[in-house]
């Protein structure tokens, strides 16, 4: 069975999808055997491989931008759920300054 699951979500992280958030996003995506793509909805670029940090960075996703994440294959739903959770929890970063 070749399951495809997608979600549309807004990135609220102050830095958008840059550096540390991308590293966490890509690391999490890579744990799943399915193919995963991400696309910035208000951009003109095609979907990119969510398991490639460089590809995700080229989307230039900023705070407030909306992205579509599509997973296809084994564990697609689990992958989408995990990525939604990561985004909703601000990429596991606190919003306060680090001391």
């Amino acid at each position: 069975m070749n399951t495809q699951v997608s979600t549309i979500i807004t990135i609220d992280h102050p830095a958008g999808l840059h550096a540390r958030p991308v590293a966490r996003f890509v690391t999490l995506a890579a744990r799943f055997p399915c193919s995963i793509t991400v696309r910035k909805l208000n951009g003109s670029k095609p979907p990119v491989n969510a398991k490639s940090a460089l590809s995700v960075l080229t989307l230039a996703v900023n705070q407030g931008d909306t992205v579509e994440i599509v997973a296809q294959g084994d564990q697609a739903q689990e992958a989408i759920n995990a990525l939604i959770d990561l985004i909703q929890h601000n990429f596991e970063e606190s919003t306060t300054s680090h001391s």
Side-chain angles (χ1 to χ4, degrees):
M1 185 167 77
N2 199 5
T3 305
Q4 180 172 314
V5 184
S6 66
T7 190
I8 293 174
I9 191 164
T10 300
I11 304 299
D12 289 326
H13 191 280
L17 277 180
H18 297 284
R20 285 190 311 268
V22 165
R24 288 189 172 96
F25 185 87
V26 169
T27 299
L28 181 59
R31 293 182 189 164
F32 295 93
C34 53
S35 69
I36 305 171
T37 61
V38 61
R39 176 175 69 101
K40 181 174 158 180
L41 292 183
N42 59 337
S44 58
K45 295 181 180 174
V48 299
N49 181 355
K51 298 178 184 183
S52 166
L54 188 58
S55 294
V56 176
L57 285 169
T58 65
L59 292 176
V61 175
N62 296 309
Q63 183 178 26
D65 285 341
T66 302
V67 297
E68 179 183 40
I69 305 167
V70 179
Q72 187 166 354
D74 290 344
Q75 298 182 19
Q77 185 64 62
E78 293 90 336
I80 291 289
N81 292 346
L83 291 167
I84 289 171
D85 189 60
L86 179 71
I87 293 166
Q88 289 178 336
H89 289 93
N90 213 31
F91 299 90
E92 301 171 352
E93 292 183 8
S94 69
T95 52
T96 58
S97 61
H98 299 283
S99 49

